[in-house]
Amino acid sequence: MPDSFKFELVSPERLLVSEDVSSVVVPGTEGDMTVMAQHAPTMTSIKPGVVTVNAAGGGAERYVVFGGFADIQPESCTLLAESAMRVDDIDRDDLTRRIQEAREDVSDAGDDDSRTKAEDYLAQLTTLEKAILPA
Amino acid sequence: MPSLKDLRNRIASVKATQKITKAMQMVAAAKLRRAQEAAEAARPYSERMATVLANIAGAVQGSDAPALMTGTGKDDTYLMVVCTAERGLCGGFNAQIARLAREHIRKLVAEGKTVKIICVGKKGYDILRRDFQSMIIDRVDLREVKQIRFTDADAIARKVIGLFEAGEFDVCRLFYSNFKSVISQVPTAQQIIPAAAEAGEAEEAAAAAQGGAIYDYEPDAGAILEDLIPRNIAVQIFRALLENAAGEMGAKMTAMDNATRNAGEMIDKLSITYNRQRQAQITKELIEIISGAEAL
């Protein structure tokens, strides 16, 4: 059984990662999951969070993504992120701005459905902020 | 016949113009490279998106599919999203897109459909408002934007989807210029809502490529699709804007190259006239002096 597979992280602006990896931790909307080779074909949506990429040759990289989709197949995994960057490159102001916008969305929400959605998104963002920014 | 001084001024002014067009050409060349890189960098995403969409569209059939994919079942009202450049001086680039849009609009109006227009970019608005002022419902200004980012496209997509959900239109078409090469940009019309027809073709291709893999969906296919389709629209718009940006620069480069060459030709012609006239004047003066001396 092969122990590595092809992983690609793409954002609309560019292709961030395209390499052989041993495992990837993906922040799915229904919970984080670790994808390894020979995973059953799965399609999942992604919440804002951290993607950890464990390269086949050792070494790990962490990326921040803001929502998107993962297309998982036995020999490959493609992550379509709405916006993605390395954890080291994250712009604090940008994150703060997103949180601020999410707060406004919550207060602007017209009906219960959209409010729940906005609140979820805000909660995910604040969790993310705590996870990557040392207090 | 213009005097020598007039000619001198004329030559100086054409030379100044030539310098400007030359500089603009070089700026366009540099910007073109950047725009081309951006367009190429965005390509993997839209390709992967098409595959994912095709996969999932195969899983969600019939009535489960969201309205953005199947349409409203009518085609009475059309929304035209016309993407053009913000600036002129790029040859027929903007005019070509506007002409294509105008043809489509005229045809639809003749068929008795209602047409609404959203103009992205100032030039398209300037051209279209002459004929269709009353149909333009909105315009998007990207003049402040140096490098088009996904969020710009996303904002437009949101606007379009918002209008769709409010029942403002049934079919949405996107007009932009497809960047084929530096010298060739093809104005293109693309239907983005409903997306069903296009997804159908892609689906077959993907199914053939993957041997019809059966997917697990998290949460469920319908929910993912509902999320995916608006994003796909944003991606399509983003791609159109990037193609436009590259095309605009390509067209500008060609136009400015022509302008520089024309200025060169004009300078040559003016210089010849100038020299001839100077020579004529000298000859005339000589004749005056000689005939004056002979008279003595």
Side-chain angles (χ1 to χ4, degrees), chain B residues 93-200:
Chain B
F93 179 79
N94 292 316
Q96 277 179 350
I97 302 173
R99 191 187 312 140
L100 182 73
R102 195 183 301 142
E103 278 165 17
H104 276 252
I105 294 166
R106 289 250 161 85
K107 198 161 150 255
L108 288 170
V109 170
E111 284 167 13
K113 317 276 192 206
T114 317
V115 178
K116 291 172 181 174
I117 306 170
I118 292 182
C119 290
V120 181
K122 175 169 162 284
K123 285 289 157 186
Y125 175 74
D126 286 347
I127 300 171
L128 290 176
R129 84 173 156 187
R130 262 180 252 149
D131 296 332
F132 311 111
Q133 175 79 65
S134 58
M135 296 177 190
I136 297 175
I137 51 169
D138 204 350
R139 51 186 292 217
V140 180
D141 199 336
L142 296 174
R143 221 171 319 166
E144 303 298 314
V145 182
K146 280 225 173 80
Q147 176 77 48
I148 292 159
R149 305 203 67 86
F150 185 64
T151 40
D152 301 322
D154 202 35
I156 300 170
R158 260 167 229 237
K159 209 173 268 181
V160 171
I161 292 162
L163 286 171
F164 183 78
E165 277 165 1
E168 291 281 324
F169 67 91
D170 305 309
V171 180
C172 178
R173 277 190 201 154
L174 185 64
F175 290 88
Y176 66 99
S177 185
N178 203 356
F179 181 79
K180 266 201 155 160
S181 72
V182 177
I183 47 164
S184 158
Q185 297 88 30
V186 187
T188 312
Q190 188 188 2
Q191 184 160 318
I192 51 174
I193 301 173
E198 198 192 357

Side-chain angles (χ1 to χ4, degrees), chain A residues 11-81:
Chain A
S11 79
E13 271 136 25
R14 65 204 180 98
L15 182 67
L16 278 102
V17 187
S18 176
E19 60 182 8
D20 284 326
V21 297
S22 55
S23 71
V24 179
V25 182
V26 175
T29 34
E30 315 249 293
D32 286 11
M33 59 193 209
T34 304
V35 180
M36 301 184 81
Q38 301 300 319
H39 196 288
T42 307
M43 181 95 63
T44 179
S45 52
I46 288 173
K47 65 182 185 195
V50 178
V51 177
T52 312
V53 182
N54 297 308
E61 285 274 14
R62 293 165 77 221
Y63 294 88
V64 177
V65 295
F66 294 98
F69 300 89
D71 176 8
I72 301 161
Q73 287 173 28
E75 297 90 31
S76 70
C77 172
T78 309
L79 209 158
L80 298 169

Side-chain angles (χ1 to χ4, degrees), chain B residues 188-225:
Chain B
T188 312
Q190 188 188 2
Q191 184 160 318
I192 51 174
I193 301 173
E198 198 192 357
E201 289 164 26
E203 174 194 324
E204 282 166 28
Q210 307 200 338
I214 296 159
Y215 272 88
D216 285 337
Y217 293 101
E218 255 182 60
D220 57 288
I224 292 185
L225 199 56

